[in-house]
Amino acid sequence: MSINASIKPNPAVRVLAWCAIAFLIAPIPIIILVSFSSAQYLTFPPPGLSLQWYERFLGSSEWVQSIWISLQVAVFSAILTMVLATMAAIPMVRADFGRKSIIYAILLAPMIIPVIITAIAMYFVFAQAGLTGTVLAITIGHTIVVLPIAFVVLSSTLQGLDPRLERAAISLGATPLVAFYKITLPLLAPGILTAGLFAFLTSFDELIIPLFLGGPTTQTLAVRIWNSVVMEIEPTISAVAVFLIGTTVLVMVLAALVSRAFQRKSSSSSHQEASHA
Amino acid sequence: MKASAGNSIVLDNLWKTYGSFVAVGGVSLSIEAGKFCTILGPSGSGKTTVLMMLAGFSEPLRGNILIDGNDVTRLPPQKRNLGVVFQNYALFPHMTVLGNVAFPLKMRGMNAAEINLKCRQMLDVVELGDFAGRYPGELSGGQQQRVALARALVFEPRVLLMDEPLGALDKRLRAALQVELKELQRRMNVTVVYVTHDQEEALTMADQVVIMNHGKIEQFGTADDLYDRPTTEFVAGFMGDTNLIEGVVTAKGNDGVLRVEHPTGRTILAQNNASSVGDSVSVSLRPECLALEARKDSPTEEANGWNGRIVNAVSLGDAMRYTIVVGENRPSLQIQLQAKLGRRGAHGHRFYPADEVRLSWNANDARVLPRGKR
Ligand SMILES: Nc1ncnc2c1ncn2[C@@H]1O[C@H](COP(=O)(O)OP(=O)(O)OP(=O)(O)O)[C@@H](O)[C@H]1O
Ligand SMILES: [Mg+2]
């Protein structure tokens, strides 16, 4: 931090940076304002303030159902991602076996293949299995899309973890399973949490997978936004957008709080590493 | 720990290979109960591999491991009841000092009150009673080391295994902890197997020293045995400095003294029963066993009495190290020797480069060794 603070950026760079930030942020206050508009159509600036669009959004059983579907999919795929990424990362980092690079390539493939191709492929598979239109299908789809990044995050966390810790626990009488539970898992927790968070946020606003795999009763928020925008643009959308932004910010703040709590604890462990070097 | 008689650890012809590479090739060893045994050897000689097989983390290709008379070769590590201290201590960073030390007791299903009592006692032994609530990251290297020790001893194992436990510490702290460790070992009467590549460390602490090289045991004995009576050139060179002078055995006296002739024709009288007349050998002569005397003229040379010239003098602080050349100015006819003398020389004399000296030594201090391939 002190290093960053000591570098004084060129004033021109500063201006440019603020411009970029303004450009990125500007739509957000505008959308927030519009969402409270008293007008019956999209107009800016709004002629007056009202909560009518929020009433229409949250009063509509269809929109509420979509919130519910989106939350289910996001939570389930976050959990599934955490479990699978952990299970993949441990042998890939710890175990010694040949053909590792092939497995790496397969694990990371969804990152390179365009989502739409993955979506189409899965559509055919799930259609055959009669699973299209279910929360399960969308959950699996999102998990596959987000798994490579979660795997990379967890692998790097695990790489920084001394395998001797687990050995030490075993030498002290723990079975390998207990050693994993008591030592490796808690130390891996920040990485697992980051992966889960990432999965949650990605799933929450991802459109293509649920567009292909969802059905009329399983429209996620993103899909319903898409559908309603395609039909007509009305200010309800802005209320939905504010809801999405709010959820994202909330989750990010939560994550920051949790990771700060972890950091306080593990700052001691990084200090320990330093003293060994 | 019951009876100190008998062997605590027996390794019987242990082998370990990685692919076609032999990491440990037929190691057999018996360690008496309650002894401090050091495994000493250069990097890559297989020390850690032997220790890991003892601990149960690495499975031997062949051979058996007995602890207190029980064959544990196929026993998983968590059932061997051995204390292990790893090179980097391997303290659990997310647990306090107390949590770390309590871990092995919790694994043994002890009740909380008993755990607390035992941990407090153990932490007092290693003088960390006030640090129970700290995390490992908040401790100095030496303190972390003592936590690792406390954690490995709190469940009263019969055997404590340590892999270069002091490697990461500075010299002064290392010396202090060596004394503490040795003292603790004696008090708790635990058998210690201690891996290091620092021969000084081995000499300070060990009752028995095992010297390993290329996955095999070169020699096993007390530190004095190894220093005074090495059986191979490797051991002679690894345990402290030595001069190795090659020659051929020409005669063997009744008193066990051998006469060895150097290619330049000079003769050395030296000890060792294992060699016989006609053998090509090396004679190991410790630098501190050489006596130097100033000379003006060139008296005739005799066995164990040669004429030489100082070519280099280096102060070691408390002593001087001289490099001496014996013989003519042709490398093939020269013998170069190192001598280590008290700061002011044997007779209160200090030598300087180009000084002419007479060097001599006692036949009992020179050791005949089979010539190794170098
Ligand atoms: N998992 C492994 N795969 C292949 N070779 C290995 C493996 N572990 C150890 N070796 C080799 O076995 C030999 C002995 O290794 P070991 O770790 O026992 O040496 P060491 O005596 O402990 O050395 P150091 O003093 O450097 O710790 C080395 O040459 C090493 O490269
Ligand atoms: Mg080693």
Side-chain angles (χ1 to χ4, degrees):
Chain A
M1 276 254 236
S2 55
I3 293 172
N4 286 345
S6 69
I7 297 171
K8 284 238 164 60
N10 184 319
V13 172
R14 238 173 227 253
V15 169
L16 213 66
W18 281 112
C19 283
I21 290 171
F23 182 73
L24 290 172
I25 300 267
I28 293 176
I30 292 173
I31 285 177
I32 292 175
L33 260 172
V34 168
S35 75
F36 289 103
S37 169
S38 60
Q40 293 305 307
Y41 44 87
L42 272 179
T43 176
F44 189 84
L49 297 178
S50 89
L51 285 174
Q52 55 172 328
W53 303 114
Y54 286 92
E55 271 163 29
R56 199 174 292 182
F57 169 42
L58 296 171
S60 140
S61 66
E62 287 174 347
W63 280 111
V64 170
Q65 190 203 27
S66 285
I67 294 176
W68 179 231
I69 299 278
S70 274
L71 275 176
Q72 270 180 302
V73 169
V75 167
F76 290 152
S77 53
I79 292 171
L80 200 59
T81 301
M82 290 192 277
V83 172
L84 290 180
T86 309
M87 280 166 56
I90 288 172
M92 288 303 282
V93 172
R94 289 282 168 86
D96 252 340
F97 56 90
R99 305 272 179 275
K100 249 191 193 177
S101 57
I102 294 176
I103 300 178
Y104 260 113
I106 293 171
L107 273 169
L108 298 183
M111 206 151 64
I112 301 151
I113 298 169
V115 176
I116 191 152
I117 297 197
T118 310
I120 293 169
M122 279 192 292
Y123 175 78
F124 284 118
V125 173
F126 285 134
Q128 209 116 78
L131 281 173
T132 42
T134 60
V135 168
L136 179 69
I138 307 171
T139 300
I140 292 174
H142 276 167
T143 304
I144 288 172
V145 168
V146 83
L147 197 59
I149 295 166
F151 169 73
V152 169
V153 168
L154 264 169
S155 294
S156 75
T157 312
L158 197 58
Q159 219 106 44
L161 233 175
D162 187 348
R164 278 174 289 200
L165 291 176
E166 221 173 272
R167 283 189 160 191
I170 292 171
S171 81
L172 295 168
T175 61
L177 203 67
V178 171
F180 174 75
Y181 237 73
K182 294 257 177 188
I183 309 299
T184 309
L185 204 55
L187 292 172
L188 216 50
I192 296 178
L193 223 72
T194 307
L197 193 83
F198 189 80
F200 182 93
L201 289 179
T202 306
S203 164
F204 206 65
D205 72 3
E206 207 281 332
L207 172 65
I208 298 171
I209 296 277
L211 210 52
F212 277 82
L213 301 181
T217 56
T218 52
Q219 289 191 26
T220 63
L221 215 46
V223 172
R224 196 169 291 281
I225 292 170
W226 171 256
N227 286 340
S228 72
V229 169
V230 168
M231 311 263 227
E232 52 157 339
I233 295 194
E234 48 147 359
T236 313
I237 293 301
S238 61
V240 178
V242 171
F243 175 80
L244 270 178
I245 294 165
T247 309
T248 306
V249 170
L250 194 77
V251 171
M252 295 291 256
V253 167
L254 225 69
L257 288 178
V258 171
S259 83
R260 193 175 302 170
F262 269 120
Q263 243 157 34
R264 207 167 302 140
K265 234 184 191 179
S266 68
S267 68
S268 44
S269 72
S270 61
H271 173 72
Q272 185 189 9
E273 287 308 311
S275 69
H276 291 147
Chain B
M1 249 198 292
K2 293 146 262 168
S4 65
N7 289 321
S8 169
I9 300 170
V10 177
L11 305 182
D12 178 23
N13 193 24
L14 274 190
W15 286 74
K16 177 79 192 179
T17 55
Y18 295 106
S20 63
F21 177 76
V22 179
V24 171
V27 162
S28 298
L29 181 65
S30 309
I31 301 168
E32 271 177 57
K35 293 283 188 207
F36 197 116
C37 175
T38 294
I39 300 180
L40 183 63
S43 190
S45 56
K47 308 179 297 288
T48 298
T49 310
V50 167
L51 207 70
M52 287 299 112
M53 286 193 282
L54 243 175
F57 292 118
S58 173
E59 203 178 329
L61 175 72
R62 201 171 331 140
N64 293 305
I65 301 168
L66 279 77
I67 295 177
D68 286 347
N70 304 316
D71 191 328
V72 299
T73 318
R74 308 271 165 244
L75 209 60
Q78 69 270 23
K79 298 218 173 110
R80 294 197 184 187
N81 207 37
L82 306 170
V84 184
V85 176
F86 292 81
Q87 177 157 12
N88 66 340
Y89 321 134
L91 296 179
F92 308 135
H94 58 306
M95 297 184 191
T96 60
V97 167
L98 189 64
N100 267 278
V101 177
F103 188 85
L105 302 180
K106 279 188 187 143
M107 290 301 117
R108 283 165 177 74
M110 227 175 243
N111 70 53
E114 205 175 344
I115 288 178
N116 200 35
L117 181 73
K118 281 202 175 249
C119 288
R120 296 282 169 189
Q121 280 172 350
M122 196 65 226
L123 284 174
D124 283 341
V125 168
V126 296
E127 292 167 18
L128 284 176
D130 299 336
F131 294 80
R134 290 222 195 159
Y135 284 91
E138 300 162 351
L139 300 176
S140 74
Q143 289 165 340
Q144 290 179 20
Q145 214 285 325
R146 292 208 291 255
V147 175
L149 201 59
R151 190 179 67 176
L153 285 173
V154 71
F155 57 100
E156 293 169 22
R158 301 155 298 177
V159 173
L160 180 63
L161 308 179
M162 291 190 264
D163 193 356
E164 310 212 17
L166 307 179
L169 306 176
D170 68 64
K171 208 173 153 98
R172 197 176 276 265
L173 188 57
R174 209 155 63 202
L177 280 171
Q178 281 168 11
V179 175
E180 264 180 53
L181 199 60
K182 178 74 188 166
E183 162 66 22
L184 194 63
Q185 179 259 339
R186 218 175 280 142
R187 193 145 33 115
M188 301 194 64
N189 191 29
V190 56
T191 311
V192 170
V193 182
Y194 186 104
V195 164
T196 179
H197 58 242
D198 179 348
Q199 51 107 359
E200 213 177 295
E201 198 163 278
L203 292 177
T204 350
M205 294 196 282
D207 300 312
Q208 304 175 307
V209 180
V210 179
I211 304 234
M212 284 194 69
N213 191 25
H214 296 309
K216 289 196 167 63
I217 293 182
E218 286 268 336
Q219 197 174 345
F220 174 53
T222 65
D224 283 348
D225 276 342
L226 299 182
Y227 194 82
D228 295 333
R229 288 171 292 283
T231 55
T232 65
E233 287 182 1
F234 177 80
V235 173
F238 198 72
M239 293 293 282
D241 294 329
T242 196
N243 296 295
L244 289 174
I245 308 162
E246 38 185 88
V248 176
V249 179
T250 54
K252 191 168 187 173
N254 290 333
D255 48 0
V257 172
L258 300 179
R259 176 176 284 267
V260 177
E261 196 170 308
H262 184 261
T264 59
R266 292 180 176 78
T267 47
I268 309 162
L269 298 178
Q271 286 279 356
N272 197 352
N273 301 325
S275 297
S276 42
V277 175
D279 286 356
S280 280
V281 295
S282 286
V283 176
S284 161
L285 195 51
R286 299 276 179 204
E288 68 274 18
C289 294
L290 277 173
L292 296 184
E293 242 177 290
R295 66 181 166 89
K296 287 264 166 340
D297 47 1
S298 294
T300 48
E301 294 187 274
E302 54 184 24
N304 291 7
W306 298 348
N307 297 334
R309 185 166 26 85
I310 306 273
V311 294
N312 195 12
V314 177
S315 167
L316 303 175
D318 56 342
M320 293 295 298
R321 176 190 300 281
Y322 298 109
T323 307
I324 303 144
V325 166
V326 173
E328 291 85 53
N329 258 343
R330 301 226 328 255
S332 60
L333 300 177
Q334 257 184 11
I335 310 171
Q336 213 180 57
L337 293 156
Q338 305 276 328
K340 189 173 160 189
L341 270 70
R343 184 155 189 85
R344 308 186 58 231
H347 308 286
H349 192 83
R350 181 161 169 179
F351 300 99
Y352 295 93
D355 282 359
E356 300 284 333
V357 291
R358 175 81 173 180
L359 60 150
S360 58
W361 62 93
N362 191 318
N364 286 327
D365 292 332
R367 189 91 188 142
V368 176
L369 305 171
R371 176 101 50 95
K373 31 195 176 331
R374 265 182 269 171

